[in-house]
Amino acid sequence: MHAVVTGASRGIGRELVKQLTEAGHEVTGTSQDHSSGVRLDVCDSGQQARFAAHLGDKPVDLLVCNAGVYIDKGMALEDYTTEVWSKSLAVNVTGVFLTVQALLPNLRLSDNPKIAIISSQMASHARAPGGSYAYRASKAAALNIGRNLATDLKPEGISVGIYHPGWVRTDMGGSEGDISVQESAAGLMHEFDVLTLQTTGCFHTWDGRIHAF
């Protein structure tokens, strides 16, 4: 299996690359700063086109859209700016769509293509504890994109899953997180394995529970 993982320079993305590689899979990791694998700013359509050209006619069996930012953690409502919103939406929403769009030809070359979108429980409309407006809205939009892609791509045999990776002890999640990055990545990999056309469009937690939309 050939997997592509965006946002592979740190946290969950880096651990997914590690565990997928250890499991014997071929993995192409990307990062904005070229620190892990191929350089890719997911918001830049030109870089997306160059990345797709770099892959050529190589099939992509699993695309993990993991790249993301959490700029407004703990931010007061009064401190939000246009830049906070534009950056959050550019990476967490537009970046997901552009990545899928660019690599769709490669996914179509696979015998069992899958797309995994890393969203968050903070995307759920069933949870509204306040705060983190830009992050919550962007992850909700990523969830929406995943659900609609699942509908459009099912006739082509491409499965799409959306996942909450857990509250993970990373730079983004903080030291108070419930689980380690190793636990999250292992659970997510199992979820990727069991994703099928019958479950396409699912919103699951890292440990296999169905999450409320």
Side-chain angles (χ1 to χ4, degrees):
M1 181 184 76
H2 175 222
V4 171
V5 181
T6 66
S9 63
R10 58 187 172 86
I12 296 167
R14 181 168 60 192
E15 185 63 25
L16 281 171
V17 169
K18 178 176 180 290
Q19 291 194 26
L20 284 165
T21 302
E22 289 174 349
H25 303 301
E26 181 181 1
V27 187
T28 302
T30 76
S31 62
Q32 184 177 4
D33 59 5
H34 213 329
S35 63
S36 178
V38 180
R39 181 182 179 188
L40 176 64
D41 180 346
V42 294
C43 310
D44 187 324
S45 57
Q47 287 192 28
Q48 291 279 11
R50 287 191 289 276
F51 178 48
H54 167 76
L55 291 177
D57 59 359
K58 188 179 186 63
V60 171
D61 304 296
L62 172 64
L63 171 59
V64 184
C65 296
N66 169 73
V69 294
Y70 188 177
I71 300 169
D72 57 330
K73 187 175 184 179
M75 183 175 288
L77 191 152
E78 295 82 3
D79 293 335
Y80 278 79
T81 63
T82 300
E83 183 180 4
V84 170
W85 279 100
S86 60
K87 181 67 173 177
S88 299
L89 294 170
V91 177
N92 296 349
V93 184
T94 306
V96 170
F97 186 85
L98 290 179
T99 303
V100 173
Q101 184 183 53
L103 298 190
L104 198 52
N106 302 84
L107 286 159
R108 287 171 171 149
L109 293 172
S110 169
D111 293 330
N112 185 27
K114 301 180 181 184
I115 299 169
I117 296 174
I118 306 303
S119 180
S120 168
Q121 66 180 0
M122 294 169 76
S124 174
H125 291 171
R127 301 176 74 258
S132 298
Y133 295 96
Y135 185 75
R136 290 183 194 281
S138 66
K139 287 300 185 179
L143 169 59
N144 186 276
I145 286 173
R147 294 277 292 168
N148 284 283
L149 283 171
T151 298
D152 285 338
L153 297 179
K154 186 174 183 178
E156 297 191 52
I158 301 175
S159 306
V160 183
I162 308 101
Y163 302 98
H164 165 54
W167 185 13
V168 188
R169 293 187 291 273
T170 62
D171 291 342
M172 183 181 290
S175 60
E176 302 294 314
D178 293 329
I179 60 173
S180 69
V181 69
Q182 291 81 12
E183 290 173 293
S184 175
L188 288 169
M189 283 175 54
H190 174 72
E191 285 300 299
F192 304 160
D193 284 342
V194 300
L195 175 65
T196 67
L197 287 174
Q198 284 66 49
T199 59
T200 191
C202 64
F203 183 27
H204 285 182
T205 63
W206 66 279
D207 54 354
R209 291 173 290 128
I210 298 172
H211 203 295
F213 294 109

